[in-house]
Amino acid sequence: VQLQASGGGLVQAGGSLRLSCTASGIDFSDYGMGWFRQAPGKEREPVAAITWSGSSTYYADSMKGRFTISRDNAKNTVYLQMNSLKPEDTAVYFCAADLGIATLRVSEYDYWGQGTLVTVSS
C-alpha cells in the first residue's frame, strides 16, 4: 500500500496550496480518507476527513471555512485545498486511509503516507 502525498511548499501568509494524495495497493473507493498534520515538537492533529463516496466531509475547527477536502475515486486521489494560509499552518501534512467511516481520529486510520511539508511565511 502506498499513499503518495504531494503539493507542499513555501507560501506566504494569505496564500493557497492544493495538496494531493494518490493511493495504490488498496481499493480506494472502499476507504475513508483523511488529512492530518504535525508541526515540529507537536502531536499529529486532524485536519479533514472524507467518506468513501465523498458525500460527507469533516473538519477540525481551526480549518473550517479555509480548507476543503475532496476526492476523485476514478483517480484514486484525495485533495486538500488550503486557502487563507497562516504561519501556524506550517507542518508536515499526511494523508491516511481508513477502511470504514472517515473520522478525525488518528488511531482509526490503517495506512499513512509519507507526508508533504507546508511552510507558511509571515
Side-chain angles (χ1 to χ4, degrees):
V1 177
Q2 277 198 321
L3 301 176
Q4 185 68 46
S6 61
L10 175 64
V11 63
Q12 287 188 332
S16 298
L17 279 176
R18 188 193 196 204
L19 306 183
S20 300
C21 172
T22 300
S24 60
I26 59 173
D27 191 343
F28 184 72
S29 60
D30 285 344
Y31 284 76
M33 297 297 295
W35 284 98
F36 297 80
R37 69 185 187 185
Q38 189 165 16
K42 295 187 177 182
E43 291 188 354
R44 193 167 297 188
E45 64 173 352
V47 174
I50 187 167
T51 55
W52 66 271
S53 65
S55 60
S56 296
T57 56
Y58 309 93
Y59 296 92
D61 288 343
S62 62
M63 288 67 162
K64 288 179 181 176
R66 298 191 300 126
F67 292 7
T68 303
I69 189 171
S70 61
R71 66 189 294 160
D72 184 341
N73 285 350
K75 296 182 178 180
N76 286 2
T77 300
V78 61
Y79 305 97
L80 184 69
Q81 177 67 43
M82 304 186 294
N83 299 328
S84 302
L85 284 162
K86 306 174 182 179
E88 51 264 42
D89 293 318
T90 295
V92 177
Y93 284 71
F94 299 89
C95 61
D98 173 18
L99 183 58
I101 62 171
T103 76
L104 293 175
R105 291 189 293 273
V106 173
S107 61
E108 295 292 325
Y109 283 78
D110 303 294
Y111 301 107
W112 291 84
Q114 86 291 354
T116 185
L117 176 62
V118 173
T119 304
V120 184
S121 63
S122 57

